[in-house]
Amino acid sequence: MSVRVSTRDRVHRAVLELVAEVGVPGLTMEGVAARAGAGKQTIYRTWDSPLHVLLDALLTASQDADGRVEVPDTGDLATDLRVLVDGMVAELTDPPSDAMMRHVVALLPDRPGLGEELQERLLRPQVAAIEARFERAGVAESGPAAELLLGPVFHRWLLRTGPFSEQWIATHVRLVVQALST
Amino acid sequence: MSVRVSTRDRVHRAVLELVAEVGVPGLTMEGVAARAGAGKQTIYRTWDSPLHVLLDALLTASQDADGRVEVPDTGDLATDLRVLVDGMVAELTDPPSDAMMRHVVALLPDRPGLGEELQERLLRPQVAAIEARFERAGVAESGPAAELLLGPVFHRWLLRTGPFSEQWIATHVRLVVQALST
Amino acid sequence: MSVRVSTRDRVHRAVLELVAEVGVPGLTMEGVAARAGAGKQTIYRTWDSPLHVLLDALLTASQDADGRVEVPDTGDLATDLRVLVDGMVAELTDPPSDAMMRHVVALLPDRPGLGEELQERLLRPQVAAIEARFERAGVAESGPAAELLLGPVFHRWLLRTGPFSEQWIATHVRLVVQALST
Amino acid sequence: MSVRVSTRDRVHRAVLELVAEVGVPGLTMEGVAARAGAGKQTIYRTWDSPLHVLLDALLTASQDADGRVEVPDTGDLATDLRVLVDGMVAELTDPPSDAMMRHVVALLPDRPGLGEELQERLLRPQVAAIEARFERAGVAESGPAAELLLGPVFHRWLLRTGPFSEQWIATHVRLVVQALST
DNA sequence: GCTTAATCGAGACGGTACGTCGTGTCTTTGC
DNA sequence: GCAAAGACACGACGTACCGTCTCGATTAAGC
């Protein structure tokens, strides 16, 4: 990570432009280097693949952007969970993030370290906030609870079985709350 | 689909051997052709990409293998759902299917038709069986119910957040049944 | 040597143009391919290095051009030898041949086969003609005689110690004839 | 030439080691710098190319080694010439010198200054000694005479048409002496 | 003797070329 | 008469050097 700051920035800008133009499968180290006005070695010195470049760019952008995910607490669990689910849906459906995450999980079986980074830095904050809210509500096992809440969201995102409508989210959250309230 | 039967078979065999040796990203049209003892043109005539070849091979294999997914009915909903979830887990964790499905969903945003085929022919049978069992149990919305059951399974598979232990499945199924029983 | 004829020709044309523009050290496989409108693989399939391409181009050109080197016989040995030396000088001082031969001999220690081809196909005809003329003149050892005649020519060419003036050639030939006439 | 003495020495040592390992075409500025434990800039400050480094190293070595080439005078011209030819052959066939000289002459058309240095400092002493011996023998034109003697030697060296056997040298010297004795 | 400036090593950097592999199309060849 | 074999233009791969540059650390000189 010892590349000069300006170079890193140019590369990040380049990969974000390119992914919008050609998609993730169209990204190449050569293309990124050319667009960034950098030598190929400079790219290879820091990143392993176009996907790493994109991941880094998105992580950097998201770290710059969001302060921290706040845990809302209006008193009504369902309302708060809807807010948190909305946040996750926004992340999952942002086109470059969407495509990037799909390709990252495609490579999960092959590249051990890759998944950790993705999860830790992009998904964890949202999950942690959800778990925190469950705990505050007195739910015993916040882990499985969060899984029950997020699972169908990921399922719908991954397989595109239907849209993330207001209504669907509301129904789904209601079901989950129901499952835990007994 | 007009290639000679023996050629189709040789290609299927070839791609299954290759994916075990080099993984999905290592598959190439050239490699498949060579291994199958076929000309490249023969492969290109029928399939669009190595992923299509693999998908075709796996679909063919699975259609040959399983007659149809049966809907179990022991009287106990939880028990029957566990059986159905076990079936889906088996499909998701079979190494070549696992890798192939990850790569297929990675390309979902780019190639519209691809996802339908995957879903319709590999995933649907299991889902249909689950929905059928829910309906038999008098659950009103079997669709959302199936989503609630399968979502966390896919989540755990996709992100590898934990193993599919007996215990986890049992707990998860219990939670879902609970959510729907009120 | 199985490349299509038109491709061979385009490559030959390309390398001859390029060597005139950038010199032998400036030749690259990539450059030749680009100029010829060919893929790199096509070049690599047939030739090992830019020098081989150039050598091939020059050999082809020379074979097309000269029928055969004739052995002149005016009766006067000195006169005939001057004609033959003139021929060799012309070959040695043609700019692309000049540069190419220098680079080929530079690589002689490293690449065994290279020298044979050069000698056999570019230099041999002239040498053979010289030896033939010596034999016709009754000189016993035509080999050493040819060496005595050509050695100083190569020396002057290689080290550029002086020009190939009419006068120098005449003097040199006279000395050689003298050496053999006893 | 203002690099520190120890640095010069380390560079010379480095290039001589390297040329033995990888040959002249394998020499690189980067490699020389690394082997010498010097920065690239230090090398570039003093030399223009790996060939210049090698040339400098060989010249330095030869200047340290030989006092001066002596002109032998046993009374027998042929004997003395054989001694001088032996010296030149030794220089031409020393592997690093051999390779270096071939590559230097390859670049003669492109780099004007290069050849002078080579000739002046590596070849001249031998040539001068030969000319001196001819003059002492009363040969009128010592220049052409030396060319007649050395030409075939260079020819044989350059094109590797045969070995420098005792016998060949003896025969050749005899022929030359014959040519001049009339 | 202490600083101030030059010099060195190390190596990042934008490039070009390397030699290889795979793409998708097109041509030849042998069964 | 079709399918294998593979030539072909193309583009990306990942590596090696190029020649220039920017860094600190180390000297060596000037004060």
Side-chain angles (χ1 to χ4, degrees):
Chain A
M1 292 293 184
S2 60
V3 282
R4 294 230 307 284
V5 176
S6 65
T7 301
R8 281 184 71 82
D9 285 354
R10 271 184 296 135
V11 171
H12 284 161
R13 240 184 319 258
V15 78
L16 291 174
E17 285 173 31
L18 282 171
V19 79
E21 296 173 16
V22 296
V24 172
L27 289 179
T28 66
M29 293 299 250
E30 203 143 334
V32 170
R35 177 69 64 106
K40 285 169 61 174
Q41 257 338 333
T42 302
I43 311 298
Y44 277 105
R45 207 175 296 128
T46 308
W47 297 277
D48 286 347
S49 73
L51 211 49
H52 282 91
V53 186
L54 179 58
L55 178 56
D56 191 25
L58 291 173
L59 288 173
T60 302
S62 88
Q63 276 167 358
D64 290 1
D66 70 358
R68 201 68 294 152
V69 178
E70 300 171 22
V71 184
D73 193 351
T74 64
D76 180 33
L77 180 59
T79 304
D80 294 349
L81 291 180
R82 267 206 299 276
V83 170
L84 289 166
V85 166
D86 283 344
M88 181 126 282
V89 166
E91 200 144 290
L92 288 174
T93 54
D94 169 55
S97 283
D98 183 342
M100 186 270 288
M101 282 185 288
R102 288 171 183 276
H103 286 273
V104 167
V105 297
L107 299 180
L108 268 187
D110 301 317
R111 310 206 205 161
L114 194 57
E116 270 71 47
E117 204 170 3
L118 170 77
Q119 225 170 300
E120 209 57 47
R121 294 167 66 185
L122 258 188
L123 306 176
R124 183 70 69 194
Q126 297 278 356
V127 176
I130 288 169
E131 293 181 351
R133 185 61 187 80
F134 275 128
E135 278 161 18
R136 194 166 305 171
V139 172
E141 290 169 308
S142 61
E147 214 169 1
L148 196 66
L149 182 70
L150 287 179
V153 174
F154 270 85
H155 183 262
R156 197 156 262 244
W157 163 71
L158 187 70
L159 300 181
R160 307 207 151 174
T161 45
F164 288 107
S165 64
E166 283 279 319
Q167 191 200 333
W168 181 85
I169 294 177
T171 305
H172 171 57
V173 168
R174 184 173 42 75
L175 262 180
V176 170
V177 171
Q178 219 167 73
L180 302 169
S181 60
T182 43
Chain B
M1 294 291 185
S2 60
V3 283
R4 292 225 313 285
V5 176
S6 66
T7 300
R8 277 184 72 81
D9 285 353
R10 271 186 294 134
V11 171
H12 284 162
R13 244 190 310 269
V15 78
L16 291 174
E17 284 173 32
L18 281 171
V19 79
E21 295 172 17
V22 297
V24 173
L27 289 178
T28 65
M29 293 300 250
E30 207 148 328
V32 170
R35 176 70 64 107
K40 284 168 61 175
Q41 207 60 266
T42 305
I43 311 296
Y44 275 106
R45 206 175 297 126
T46 307
W47 297 277
D48 287 347
S49 73
L51 209 49
H52 283 90
V53 186
L54 178 58
L55 178 56
D56 192 24
L58 291 174
L59 288 173
T60 302
S62 89
Q63 276 167 357
D64 289 0
D66 70 358
R68 202 69 294 156
V69 178
E70 302 170 20
V71 184
D73 192 349
T74 63
D76 181 31
L77 180 59
T79 303
D80 294 349
L81 291 181
R82 267 209 298 277
V83 170
L84 290 166
V85 166
D86 282 343
M88 180 125 283
V89 165
E91 198 143 293
L92 289 174
T93 54
D94 169 55
S97 284
D98 182 341
M100 188 268 287
M101 281 185 287
R102 289 171 182 275
H103 286 273
V104 167
V105 297
L107 299 179
L108 269 186
D110 303 316
R111 312 204 204 162
L114 193 58
E116 269 71 45
E117 204 171 1
L118 170 76
Q119 223 170 300
E120 208 58 46
R121 294 167 66 184
L122 258 187
L123 306 176
R124 183 69 71 194
Q126 297 280 354
V127 176
I130 288 168
E131 292 181 352
R133 187 60 188 80
F134 273 128
E135 278 160 18
R136 194 167 304 171
V139 173
E141 292 169 307
S142 64
E147 213 170 1
L148 196 66
L149 183 69
L150 287 180
V153 173
F154 270 84
H155 184 262
R156 197 156 261 245
W157 164 70
L158 188 70
L159 300 183
R160 308 207 149 173
T161 44
F164 288 108
S165 63
E166 284 280 320
Q167 189 200 333
W168 181 85
I169 294 178
T171 306
H172 171 56
V173 168
R174 184 174 41 76
L175 263 179
V176 171
V177 171
Q178 217 166 77
L180 301 168
S181 60
T182 42
Chain C
M1 290 296 183
S2 60
V3 283
R4 294 231 305 286
V5 176
S6 67
T7 301
R8 281 184 69 85
D9 285 354
R10 272 184 295 133
V11 171
H12 284 162
R13 241 187 315 262
V15 78
L16 291 174
E17 284 173 33
L18 281 172
V19 79
E21 296 173 17
V22 297
V24 173
L27 289 179
T28 65
M29 293 299 250
E30 203 143 336
V32 170
R35 177 70 65 107
K40 285 168 61 175
Q41 249 353 325
T42 303
I43 311 298
Y44 277 106
R45 208 175 295 128
T46 308
W47 297 277
D48 285 348
S49 73
L51 211 49
H52 282 91
V53 185
L54 179 57
L55 178 55
D56 191 25
L58 291 173
L59 288 174
T60 302
S62 89
Q63 274 167 358
D64 289 0
D66 70 357
R68 202 71 289 161
V69 179
E70 302 171 20
V71 184
D73 193 351
T74 63
D76 180 30
L77 180 60
T79 303
D80 294 348
L81 291 180
R82 267 209 297 279
V83 170
L84 289 165
V85 166
D86 283 343
M88 180 126 283
V89 165
E91 200 144 289
L92 289 173
T93 55
D94 169 54
S97 283
D98 182 341
M100 186 269 287
M101 281 186 288
R102 288 172 182 274
H103 286 273
V104 167
V105 296
L107 298 179
L108 268 187
D110 302 316
R111 312 207 206 159
L114 193 58
E116 268 71 47
E117 203 170 3
L118 170 77
Q119 223 169 300
E120 208 57 44
R121 293 168 67 185
L122 257 187
L123 306 177
R124 182 70 68 194
Q126 296 279 356
V127 176
I130 289 170
E131 292 181 352
R133 186 60 187 82
F134 273 129
E135 278 161 18
R136 194 167 304 171
V139 172
E141 292 169 307
S142 62
E147 214 169 1
L148 196 66
L149 182 69
L150 287 180
V153 173
F154 270 86
H155 184 262
R156 196 156 262 244
W157 163 71
L158 187 70
L159 300 182
R160 308 206 149 176
T161 45
F164 288 108
S165 63
E166 284 279 321
Q167 189 199 332
W168 181 85
I169 294 177
T171 306
H172 171 56
V173 168
R174 184 174 40 75
L175 263 179
V176 171
V177 172
Q178 218 166 77
L180 301 169
S181 60
T182 41
Chain D
M1 296 289 183
S2 62
V3 284
R4 294 225 313 285
V5 176
S6 66
T7 300
R8 278 184 71 83
D9 285 354
R10 270 185 297 136
V11 171
H12 284 162
R13 240 188 313 265
V15 79
L16 291 174
E17 284 173 32
L18 281 172
V19 79
E21 296 172 16
V22 296
V24 172
L27 290 178
T28 66
M29 293 300 251
E30 208 147 323
V32 171
R35 176 69 64 107
K40 285 168 64 174
Q41 207 60 268
T42 305
I43 310 296
Y44 276 106
R45 206 174 297 127
T46 307
W47 297 277
D48 287 346
S49 74
L51 209 49
H52 282 91
V53 186
L54 179 58
L55 178 56
D56 191 24
L58 291 173
L59 289 173
T60 302
S62 90
Q63 276 168 357
D64 290 0
D66 70 357
R68 203 67 293 158
V69 178
E70 300 171 23
V71 184
D73 193 350
T74 62
D76 179 31
L77 180 58
T79 304
D80 294 348
L81 290 181
R82 267 208 298 278
V83 170
L84 289 166
V85 166
D86 282 343
M88 180 124 285
V89 165
E91 199 143 291
L92 289 173
T93 53
D94 168 55
S97 283
D98 182 340
M100 187 269 289
M101 280 185 288
R102 288 171 182 274
H103 286 272
V104 167
V105 298
L107 298 179
L108 268 186
D110 302 316
R111 311 205 205 161
L114 194 58
E116 268 70 46
E117 204 170 2
L118 171 76
Q119 223 169 301
E120 209 56 48
R121 295 167 65 185
L122 258 187
L123 306 176
R124 184 67 71 193
Q126 298 278 355
V127 176
I130 289 169
E131 292 182 350
R133 186 60 186 81
F134 274 129
E135 277 161 18
R136 195 167 303 172
V139 172
E141 291 171 309
S142 63
E147 215 169 359
L148 196 66
L149 183 67
L150 286 180
V153 172
F154 270 85
H155 184 261
R156 198 156 259 246
W157 164 70
L158 187 70
L159 300 182
R160 308 206 148 177
T161 45
F164 289 109
S165 63
E166 284 280 320
Q167 189 200 334
W168 180 86
I169 295 178
T171 306
H172 171 56
V173 168
R174 184 173 41 75
L175 262 178
V176 172
V177 171
Q178 215 165 78
L180 300 168
S181 61
T182 42

